[in-house]
Amino acid sequence: MKTKPAMKVRPFQASETATLLSWIDGELNRKIWSGNTFPEEFGKEIFLSHLTRENLFAFSGFHPTEEFVAYGELVGEKNDAGILCRVIVNPAERGQGLGKTFCTELLRIAFEDFHYRHITLNAFHFNVPAIRCYKALGFREVAFRPKARNYKDQKWDLVILRKDRPLAT
């Protein structure tokens, strides 16, 4: 039986920015990761400015060796609804279950610490590994927006997923 990789999650530190940005190789990967969030001139200054947005909580995930391997954001007013966004795992570490482990901890923070009623997220229809991961975590598809985003001469469909706060036991 495969065991889950251990992961420590803590608030993102600006000193991790260069490593994070190194995972986003080119315009296509930036669009897949962030949708329309960042302009074409995306870089460190723009990203650090993004982190100052109100009700944006950025997190880093680490291997037990302290290697930075995942990044994601929770956005929303505490005690309200939240959004899970811009989740990324170091490309060299993908396919090992780290995204699922990282998102499990983000969901714990979202529901237990931030008291979100539910979490929504957007994924492009072709990002099957991400959608599979989110569904395994209990997200369900609540909407499908055809041709919601443009990339060069392509129109990308958007899948909107939602997970409600678990009932208290």
Side-chain angles (χ1 to χ4, degrees):
M1 177 181 228
K2 199 173 184 182
T3 60
K4 281 186 183 179
M7 180 157 314
K8 184 189 313 182
V9 174
R10 66 163 172 72
F12 179 79
Q13 304 294 312
S15 60
E16 297 155 357
T17 303
T19 301
L20 169 63
L21 297 184
S22 76
W23 301 342
I24 305 154
D25 180 13
E27 182 184 2
L28 174 63
N29 286 328
R30 177 182 51 79
K31 277 288 207 188
I32 292 170
W33 173 62
S34 68
N36 291 333
T37 301
F38 300 113
E40 290 181 27
E41 313 80 43
F42 178 62
K44 183 176 181 178
E45 296 77 26
I46 289 171
F47 180 73
L48 291 174
S49 176
H50 163 78
L51 293 178
T52 66
R53 287 178 41 196
E54 189 173 345
N55 298 319
L56 184 145
F57 307 93
F59 294 92
S60 301
F62 294 86
H63 270 310
T65 61
E66 297 296 316
E67 179 189 1
F68 173 42
V69 295
Y71 172 86
E73 298 170 2
L74 294 171
V75 179
E77 187 77 34
K78 292 181 181 179
N79 299 306
D80 199 356
I83 304 167
L84 177 62
C85 350
R86 285 168 287 286
V87 174
I88 190 169
V89 172
N90 177 343
E93 303 285 337
R94 291 180 185 160
Q96 302 176 45
L98 294 172
K100 186 175 180 183
T101 301
F102 180 60
C103 287
T104 297
E105 181 60 13
L106 291 182
L107 289 170
R108 186 203 61 74
I109 292 166
F111 292 130
E112 293 179 16
D113 298 346
F114 294 0
H115 306 283
Y116 289 151
R117 291 188 322 268
H118 65 266
I119 299 288
T120 57
L121 63 85
N122 298 327
F124 291 114
H125 74 285
F126 56 80
N127 195 347
V128 175
I131 293 169
R132 189 179 308 122
C133 173
Y134 297 132
K135 286 184 175 182
L137 291 168
F139 281 87
R140 69 187 192 294
E141 187 175 327
V142 294
F144 184 84
R145 293 181 48 211
K147 301 178 182 173
R149 297 285 189 275
N150 298 322
Y151 175 72
K152 298 192 178 196
D153 61 346
Q154 302 171 19
K155 304 276 188 199
W156 292 351
D157 300 335
L158 201 57
V159 178
I160 296 104
L161 299 125
R162 175 178 163 152
K163 179 177 174 75
D164 294 323
R165 179 172 51 214
L167 298 174
T169 55

